[in-house]
Amino acid sequence: MPHFVILIHGGPGNPAPDDLAAHDAHAQDLIGSGALVAAFAFGPTDEVVRIDADGPAPGAAGATALDGVGVVEADDLDAAVAIARANPATVQGGFVEVRPVLGSWVRGGGSGGSAHGVPSVS
């Protein structure tokens, strides 16, 4: 089944405990449904180091905070969008993005698909 990544951009400021509880409940729903493949929550933006051609620089100035990612299995993009629409960030002042996964590699888990920059394992 195809995989899709959901990029989770939270609302402004630090989330309230109730907001975090809503994310925990949503994750449990996805685990229970079997759709969630992986999820990662990120640390605060004041610990971000941005690296470009000029080298590393502190912070994510001018960037919308990326607070986490989830990888889900879904039949198609429409199904993945339906899953993403239920993410609490969409009603807490943030937003989500959905992107198809073209290739993957997971240490100890092999690879899937084919994309530039993704190691192949034989």
Side-chain angles (χ1 to χ4, degrees), residues 75-99:
D75 289 334
D76 55 29
L77 181 59
D78 290 337
V81 167
I83 292 169
R85 289 187 69 168
N87 189 287
T90 64
V91 295
Q92 294 174 346
F95 63 95
V96 298
E97 298 175 59
V98 179
R99 298 187 64 181

Side-chain angles (χ1 to χ4, degrees), residues 3 6 15 19 28 43 53 65 102 118 120:
H3 288 165
I6 299 173
D19 292 342
Q28 288 301 316
L102 298 180
V118 176
S120 60

Side-chain angles (χ1 to χ4, degrees), residues 50-57:
R50 179 180 171 160
I51 302 169
D52 60 20
D54 296 327

Side-chain angles (χ1 to χ4, degrees), residues 21-106:
H23 284 276
D24 290 343
H26 177 64
Q28 288 301 316
D29 289 346
L30 292 177
I31 291 167
S33 74
L36 190 62
V37 174
F40 300 91
F42 300 146
T45 57
D46 61 352
E47 295 180 17
V48 169
V49 176
R50 179 180 171 160
I51 302 169
D52 60 20
D54 296 327
T64 303
L66 178 61
D67 292 327
V69 298
V71 178
V72 297
E73 287 183 329
D75 289 334
D76 55 29
L77 181 59
D78 290 337
V81 167
I83 292 169
R85 289 187 69 168
N87 189 287
T90 64
V91 295
Q92 294 174 346
F95 63 95
V96 298
E97 298 175 59
V98 179
R99 298 187 64 181
V101 174
L102 298 180
S104 63
W105 179 89
V106 178

